[in-house]
Structure formats: C-alpha cells, structure tokens
C-alpha cells in the first residue's frame, strides 16, 4: 500500500445507494467526503438493489475534484455485509474506499484487508467505532492495517451501548479514546453528525468542541450544515503560514527535529502540517 496522503476531511455526508441520482448533488455539496450508504439508511428489503446501484456508480471514471468517495457497507457479521464485500471483490472498478461499521476488533479489518489484497484492489478503509467492544479495542484497530486512513466516532450507537445520553459530556470519555487511538496511529478522526437540523448554533458549538478535542472533521445530515463545518475545521491564515514555515524548516534541515520560535518541533508534527496545507489547497481550489 502507498503511504497515507494527508487530505481534507472536515465534513462528510451520506447519499443513499438506492438513489444514484442524488450522488452528483452530494458531490457538489461542498463536503470533503461523500459516502454512498448501504447500511442503516437502507431497509433490509432494499439492500440488494442499493448494492447493485451503488456499485454501478463507480463503473464510470470519477472526477479529480478533491472529494473523497467511499461506500458504507453493512457489518461483516451480517449477511448483507458479506454480500456487500462479495460485490466489491468481484468488481473491476471497486470504490476507492470503504467505511466499515460496528467494528469490534482488528481481525475484522485485517480480514477485509486480506480479501482486498487477494483481489488486487487498492481500496482504502475507514472504520466506525460505535460499539463498546470497538472502543475497548480502538488502539489495536487503529494500528491493524496500512489501508486504514480514518476512524469515525458513531455517537448514536455508542450511547445506546453505554446506556448514556447522546450528549457531549456523557460521551466525552468515548470520544477522547477514539481521538487518542487515531492520533497514535497517524489517522484522521471524524465526529458523528449533529442531528438537529434546526439548531445551527448548537451544531457549530458541537463542531468547535470536537475540533478542540482533536477531531479532523464532523458529519452532516444535510448539505446546509456543510459550509459551517468546513469553516470550523479550516485552519486560520496564521496556522497555514506556520505550517508552511515548519515544513520548509524541516526540508532545509533534513533532520528529525527543528527549533522554531524557541520551541522544539519533531517530525511527527509534519503530518498535521501537511494536512493543514491540504485543507488550504482545497479552499483555494
């Protein structure tokens, strides 16, 4: 697998696999990630049809427009998930990335990695941590595959598993563990969508809290939430200038650390600096 390339992941939105006509609209929404939905948003009786329609979307070459495309398959512990994977493996034009829901342990991710490798697919992986077992194994999950690029926090299912309210304070510990696991593996980490479409101020506060905790971005349930999310997770001009300076200093020094403004900065910081520049380039483009 190639090295993970930093890229903007400030916002994401789902588009239903049953409605391929909505896919172009989602791509034009301004979201950094568009995920074709085969799981919770699709009724059991419609999953086969949604799968077929979703796979058809990727038969055509995808535009190089800066939008990350992926498909959320069903859990691999369910028949629908196995059928989803069979379709991906049989395809000559598989989705660029898969979102794996309800992951409980690293073996689930390794299995998908092995199957994709056997099929010769370069498909990347994104994992949702939304079960108590997955939270317990988050560190091992984050380190288990070079295909893995981001962890997503699934707050609704997590709250149900933990028997707590789906609010910021009751889920703070769980969120923090997911952020910690992702940071330790050099992965991006994306927060659950804010579900009250009629409370834009509350969504912005929740996005700022997630950003300050270490999240790279946050989900949207409607396109009208995306602009605010992108604003919250876009670095300031000062942050962009600092990122360029740090990268320049490292490239000139050719060492594992540099001192800038009296502060020691080590090489692991570089990935975040490159991510900041990737976001700046996306905004400029």
């Amino acid at each position: 697998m190639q090295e993970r390339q930093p890229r903007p992941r400030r916002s994401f939105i789902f588009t239903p696999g049953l409605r391929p006509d909505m896919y172009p609209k989602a791509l034009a929404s301004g979201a950094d990630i568009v995920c074709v939905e085969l799981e919770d948003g699709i009724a059991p009786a419609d999953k086969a049809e949604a799968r077929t329609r979703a796979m058809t979307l990727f038969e055509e070459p995808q535009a190089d427009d800066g939008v990350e495309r992926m498909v959320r398959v069903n859990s691999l512990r369910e028949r629908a998930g196995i059928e989803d994977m069979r379709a991906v493996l049989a395809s000559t034009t598989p989705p660029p990335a898969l979102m794996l829901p309800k992951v409980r342990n690293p073996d689930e991710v390794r299995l998908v990695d092995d199957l994709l490798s056997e099929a010769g697919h370069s498909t990347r992986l994104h994992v949702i941590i939304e079960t108590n077992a997955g939270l317990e194994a988050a560190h091992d999950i984050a380190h288990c595959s070079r295909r893995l690029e981001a962890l997503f926090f699934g707050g609704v299912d997590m709250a149900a598993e933990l028997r707590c309210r789906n609010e910021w304070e009751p889920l703070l510990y769980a969120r923090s563990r997911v952020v910690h696991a992702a940071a330790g593996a050099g992965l991006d980490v994306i927060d659950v969508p804010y579900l009250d479409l009629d409370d834009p101020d509350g969504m912005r506060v929740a996005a700022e809290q997630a950003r300050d905790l270490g999240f790279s971005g946050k989900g949207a349930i409607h396109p009208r939430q995306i602009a605010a999310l992108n604003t919250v997770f876009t670095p300031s001009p000062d942050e962009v200038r600092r990122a360029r300076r740090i990268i320049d200093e490292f490239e000139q020094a050719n060492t594992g650390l540099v001192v800038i403004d009296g502060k020691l900065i080590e090489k692991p910081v570089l990935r975040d600096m490159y991510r900041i520049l990737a976001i700046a380039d996306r905004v400029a483009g």
Side-chain angles (χ1 to χ4, degrees):
M1 293 297 297
Q2 296 179 343
E3 287 295 309
R4 300 184 182 106
Q5 296 299 314
R7 61 185 304 159
R9 291 189 173 111
R10 300 166 297 172
S11 56
F12 81 88
I13 194 166
F14 288 110
T15 185
L18 273 178
R19 294 286 306 276
D21 59 300
M22 296 180 67
Y23 181 60
K25 298 175 184 178
L27 293 175
S29 67
D32 288 334
I33 300 171
V34 168
C35 185
V36 181
E37 168 69 315
L38 298 182
E39 196 215 8
D40 286 347
I42 304 296
D46 296 327
K47 287 190 182 290
E49 182 66 22
R51 180 185 307 119
T52 299
R53 294 185 182 186
M55 295 302 298
T56 300
L57 289 174
F58 297 96
E59 292 177 356
E60 299 295 327
Q62 302 293 303
D64 184 14
D65 53 9
V67 180
E68 186 171 14
R69 293 146 165 86
M70 64 184 68
V71 172
R72 178 162 76 167
V73 297
N74 289 274
S75 170
L76 296 181
R77 294 184 304 280
E78 300 172 359
R79 179 176 178 177
I82 294 173
E83 294 297 328
D84 291 342
M85 281 306 306
R86 288 182 64 182
V88 170
L89 296 171
S91 175
T92 58
T93 56
L98 297 178
M99 183 184 290
L100 307 180
K102 299 178 176 63
V103 171
R104 295 181 180 178
N105 60 67
D107 288 341
E108 295 177 52
V109 183
R110 293 190 190 105
L111 173 62
V112 175
D113 190 332
D114 290 344
L115 291 172
L116 291 169
S117 295
E118 184 179 42
H121 292 345
S122 59
T123 302
R124 304 181 305 275
L125 297 176
H126 297 247
V127 163
I128 309 178
I129 303 296
E130 54 187 333
T131 69
N132 199 23
L135 186 64
E136 186 68 20
H139 176 273
D140 292 339
I141 291 170
H143 288 81
C144 74
S145 169
R146 287 300 306 166
R147 293 180 185 270
L148 188 55
E149 295 202 340
L151 299 183
F152 286 67
F153 178 67
V156 176
D157 285 359
M158 183 66 73
E161 286 245 334
L162 297 179
R163 297 170 292 181
C164 70
R165 298 188 311 278
N166 182 18
E167 296 175 4
W168 181 259
E169 289 188 3
L171 288 174
L172 180 57
Y173 169 74
R175 274 189 169 92
S176 299
R177 283 198 62 166
V178 176
V179 169
H180 182 237
L187 306 178
D188 284 326
V189 56
I190 294 92
D191 194 30
V192 65
Y194 189 80
L195 300 180
D196 189 349
L197 190 58
D198 295 323
D199 183 16
D201 292 337
M203 187 206 70
R204 188 179 184 97
V205 168
E208 291 171 346
Q209 289 175 316
R211 177 199 62 198
D212 294 347
L213 192 63
F215 281 92
S216 315
K218 188 172 178 66
I221 61 170
H222 191 277
R224 74 178 192 230
Q225 294 178 318
I226 290 170
L229 292 176
N230 287 347
T231 297
V232 169
F233 290 98
T234 294
S236 68
D238 285 344
E239 290 173 313
V240 173
R241 284 191 290 269
R242 180 173 180 271
R244 293 192 191 282
R245 182 182 175 194
I246 289 174
I247 290 171
D248 289 343
E249 292 279 355
F250 266 101
E251 290 177 350
Q252 293 174 15
N254 196 29
T255 63
L257 53 86
V258 297
V259 177
I260 296 179
D261 297 331
K263 296 181 180 180
L264 180 66
I265 299 177
E266 298 181 276
K267 199 167 185 178
V269 174
L270 275 181
R271 186 183 186 280
D272 194 44
M273 299 300 102
Y274 280 116
R275 183 179 64 82
I276 288 173
L277 294 192
I279 295 172
D281 290 343
R282 171 96 161 116
V283 172

